[in-house]
Amino acid sequence: MRRTQVRIALLALPALVGSVLMATAPAGAEPTAGSGRSQLEDPAQVRLVHIQMAGADMLDKVVAAGFDLEHGLKRVPNGIEGEAVVTAEQIAELEAMGVEILGDDEGFAWSNEADGGIQARRAQAVQLLSHEETVRIVRADWFTTKGQGFLYVEARTTAGQQTNPIVTMQLENDSGADTSFGFARTMSRFVDSGQYMFHRNLFKLDARPSQIRVTSSTGGVATGYVSNWLEDGAPPLTANPAYKWDFVDGYRTPQQLYSRAEEIARQYPDIAEIVYLPNKTNGYQRKAQATIGGTGQSAVVVSSAAWGHEGGNDITVEFVNRPEANLPLTVEVAGKAVRVLLAKDASGALASTAAQVATALRTQSQGLIDRAHPYRTNAGTGIVAATSGPVALTDFLNEKRAGAPEGEVPRGPATIPVLRIGKHRDGRNPGVLIQAQDHAREWVPATTSLESAERLVHNYKSDWETKKIVDNTDVFFILSNNPDGANYSFYNFASQRRNMTNHCADDNADPARRNSWGVDLNRNYRVGSGHDGYSGGSTSCVSDTYQGPEKLSEPESKNIIWLVEKYRNIKFMMSVHSNGGQLFWQPGAYIADGRITTPRPPLGDEAFYWQSAARILSQVKAHRQTVVTPENVGGSSDVLYSSAGNVREDLYHNYGIYAFGWEVGGSIYNPATGNWQGGSFQPAWVGNPELVSGHAETMEYANGIMEMFRVAADWGQDNKKPTSKLVPGGGKYSGPVDVRFETSEPATIYYTTDGSRPTLESPRYAATEFREPGQVFHVTETTTFKWFSVDSAGNIEQNYDPTNNDTRNNYRTATITVAK
C-alpha cells in the first residue's frame, strides 16, 4: 500500500448555497389583464420546487427552455441542484426533460456524522498501487463561523473515473497534534458532464484537527496537514474608530447611482472624475404592442414603429366588420387611429385571415405599425373577428411597481458614467475596474460598489490606509452596467436579469414574452463563447442566458472592451454579482462533451488568485463572520458551472487582467438552526443583521472590495524578485525520485530538462490537476533542470533575462543523478 505525506497549502499558499429564484416566464406566460405582470408572478399559480439536473448539459437545456436557474445553484455529487418558481404545467415540462423534482426533505446535504467509512464495505484485499495509481489530497481547510468549526476536504484519485466498481474514498481526521485518526466517513464523489472531478466533504467539528488521512477503496492512502481557511479576527479598515463607513442607506436605481457618482466627482475633483462610456445603451424603452384575437390561428400581434413614449402608446388598432358582401381588405388611418376594414365574401361572411391582416397592417398603416404577424408559430390561417372597439397599444412601461423608488424613469438610450478615483489618474498606477449589476435584478452589487467609492473619497484625508489606496491605484467604478434592465427590475419586473433589447423574431415577439427578452451581458463576450460551442450561453432569445446574436453585440459589453483598451493600466477587475456566495476566476467555461475548459491560468497566476481571494474574503469575514467556503472559490467552471462568453475570460486572456467574478450574498451559517441559510437577489435592506439583509451584505462585501484595492496597490509597488527551488533538490539518488518546484510567492516557473536555456517559450510548471498544487516529476534517470520564476508583478528571479541570449545565464539549475 503506497502512502504519501502531503502538506496541504493550495498552490504553496495558504457552501452550500440554497437561494430561491424567481423565474422570468419560461413558457411565455400571458399577461394578466391590465397589470403587465406575467402569470408566473401570480402566487396562486406557482410554487417553489427543488430540482436536480444530471449535469451541465441538462442545465443548458433547462435554461435554454427559458427556466431561470442561473444563480442559487449547488454542485452535488451526481449533477446540479437548484430551485425554481414554476407552474404545474412547467413542472411537467421539467420532468419531460429528465429533471428530477425533489421533495422538501430531499436533495444533497453534507453529513455531520461519521459513518464508518469504506472499510466495512470493501470486500477486496488492499492491492499495491503503481506510481500512477495515487491518492492526492487537494486541500484540507479549517474555518470557524458564528462559533462553529468546519473542516473542508478535497481529494482526488487517479482511478476516480472508474465506474465498475465506483472508487470510493474514506476520510479520517485527528483531534489535534499527536492524537490518533478517527471519525471515518465516506467522501462524496463529484462528477460533471460525465467527468470525474474529485471527492470532497464539508462537516462540523468542535476541535481543530492537525492532520487528515484519505484512503481509496483501491488501496491508496494519503495523509496531510490541515490549513486555516481565512484569517480569524483580521481587522478591517472599519475597525478604526475614526474611519467613516456605512454611507448607503438603501437600494439605488441607476439614476440615483449615476447622480451620486457625478456628485462625488464634483465634490472631490482632486481625486475623482467621470469618464463617460461612448456606446449608449439601447434604452429603457419598448415598442407599443397588442395581441388581438387571443392566441389561436386568428390572433394578430401588432407592434408600433415608434417607441411607446415617442407616440407608439397613442396608437389604436380596430378590426371592423362592415355590413356589405364582397368587400376587400383595406386599412384606414386617421391620426394615430388605425382601422382594419375586414374583407367579406359573397355571402357576407368575414374572410380575412390573420396572415392577411398582418400584411395589410405592415403595408397600409402609413408607417405607424412596424411589425404585424400571426401569434408565435401560428400560420395565421384563422379568420379574424372584429374587435368591440379600438384596441390601445402600450409599451407596458407606464406602471410603477409597488415599493419602487419615486420618480419618473428616463426613457431612451442611456450614457453610462464611470466614476474614476485616484490621486494620479495618468496611467502610472495599476487600474482596478469594479463592474456591478451586469444582471439587472442583482441590487446588492450596486450598493456594495457605491459604498466602496464613498469610503475612498470620505477617508482619503483622514485614514492612512485609504490614502495609500487612492495614491497608489486608479479605480474605475461602473455602478450599474445594465441601467435599462435594472430600471425594468425596479419598476416593472423584479426578476429581470438581462438588458431590454428584443432580438426575437416574430415567433417570440408578442408582448406576453416581454419579461423574457434581452441579452445576458455576461454571455456576450468573445472568449469561450457559446457561439464557439462552449456551454452556458443560449441561442434562444427568450432564455435568461441568451448570448446575443453575435459576440459583443451589445453596447454594454462593447463599452467594457473600449474601457480596458483605452486605459491600459487596468490590471485588476471585479465583476460583482449576487447571490451565490462565490469568488471565482478562470476557467469559466467548457465544452460539455469531454468537459474541455478554456485555457487554465498558469500555476503562478492561479496561486496569486488564491492568495488574493484569501485576503479579500478574510475582510468579508471580519465584518460579521460570514465565510465564503473553499468549495465556492476557484475557477468558476470548477466550483459551479460553465458560463460561456463571460467578461472575466475576455479580459484575462485578451488583456492579461486579473479578472475576478464575485457572487456576493449566498449562504450564511445560522447557529440557531445549525444549518446554512440562503439569500436572495433583493433581500430586505434591514433584516436580521446576523443573517440575510441587503445592508449587512453591502457592508461586508465593501470590506472585500477595499481589500482588493490594497491587493492592487501592493502589486503595483512590488519590486521584490521571487525565489524558487527544486525539492528535494539536486544530488545523487539510489533510485527513481519524485521532485517538485517550490516558490517564495505566487510565481510562474519556466523550465527545461533537455539541456537548453529556459525562455518564456519553455514549458511552464503546471498543477498536477485543477485545484491542486504543482506537478511532481518522477525522475528515473539523470536529469538536469534549468529554470527561472516570474511573479505576478513581472519580477524575474535573479534578474535573469529570458529574452536575451547572452552569456550570463543566471537561471537556476539542479541535476538529479540517479544511480543505474
Side-chain angles (χ1 to χ4, degrees), residues 503 519-520 523-524 531 538 546-551 553-554:
H503 287 290
V519 174
D520 182 343
R523 298 296 184 275
N524 194 230
H531 294 284
S538 176
Y546 178 49
Q547 61 197 4
E550 60 186 20
K551 302 173 187 178
S553 63
E554 304 308 293

Side-chain angles (χ1 to χ4, degrees), residues 73-191:
L73 300 174
K74 179 172 66 177
R75 188 183 292 284
V76 297
N78 295 319
I80 298 172
E81 287 183 7
E83 292 177 321
V85 179
V86 290
T87 64
E89 179 183 358
Q90 291 156 359
I91 289 175
E93 183 181 349
L94 287 170
E95 290 178 325
M97 297 171 69
V99 175
E100 183 179 359
I101 309 298
L102 303 174
D104 292 340
D105 298 324
E106 296 180 323
F108 176 74
W110 297 109
S111 173
N112 292 313
E113 303 298 327
D115 60 9
I118 64 175
Q119 300 292 345
R121 303 188 181 101
R122 190 172 69 223
Q124 68 185 60
V126 172
Q127 302 294 319
L128 291 174
L129 299 178
S130 71
H131 185 79
E132 291 74 23
E133 293 172 319
T134 60
V135 171
R136 300 189 304 272
I137 298 175
V138 178
R139 61 183 309 126
D141 291 303
W142 168 260
F143 65 88
T144 60
T145 178
K146 313 289 186 180
Q148 177 61 56
F150 288 86
L151 177 64
Y152 174 74
V153 177
E154 281 179 23
R156 187 175 279 119
T157 168
T158 52
Q161 191 68 20
Q162 175 182 313
T163 57
N164 189 21
I166 291 176
V167 175
T168 54
M169 302 264 271
Q170 172 183 284
L171 170 65
E172 300 169 279
N173 61 270
D174 63 19
S175 299
D178 301 320
T179 60
S180 59
F181 288 113
F183 315 103
R185 64 194 71 222
T186 303
M187 299 186 73
S188 297
R189 176 178 180 266
F190 281 72
V191 175

Side-chain angles (χ1 to χ4, degrees), residues 345-361:
D345 63 15
S347 67
L350 291 172
S352 297
T353 67
Q356 291 169 337
V357 169
T359 300
L361 282 167

Side-chain angles (χ1 to χ4, degrees), residues 642-653:
S642 176
S643 51
N646 67 77
V647 64
R648 306 180 308 277
E649 303 262 49
D650 202 319
L651 269 54
Y652 177 79
H653 290 294

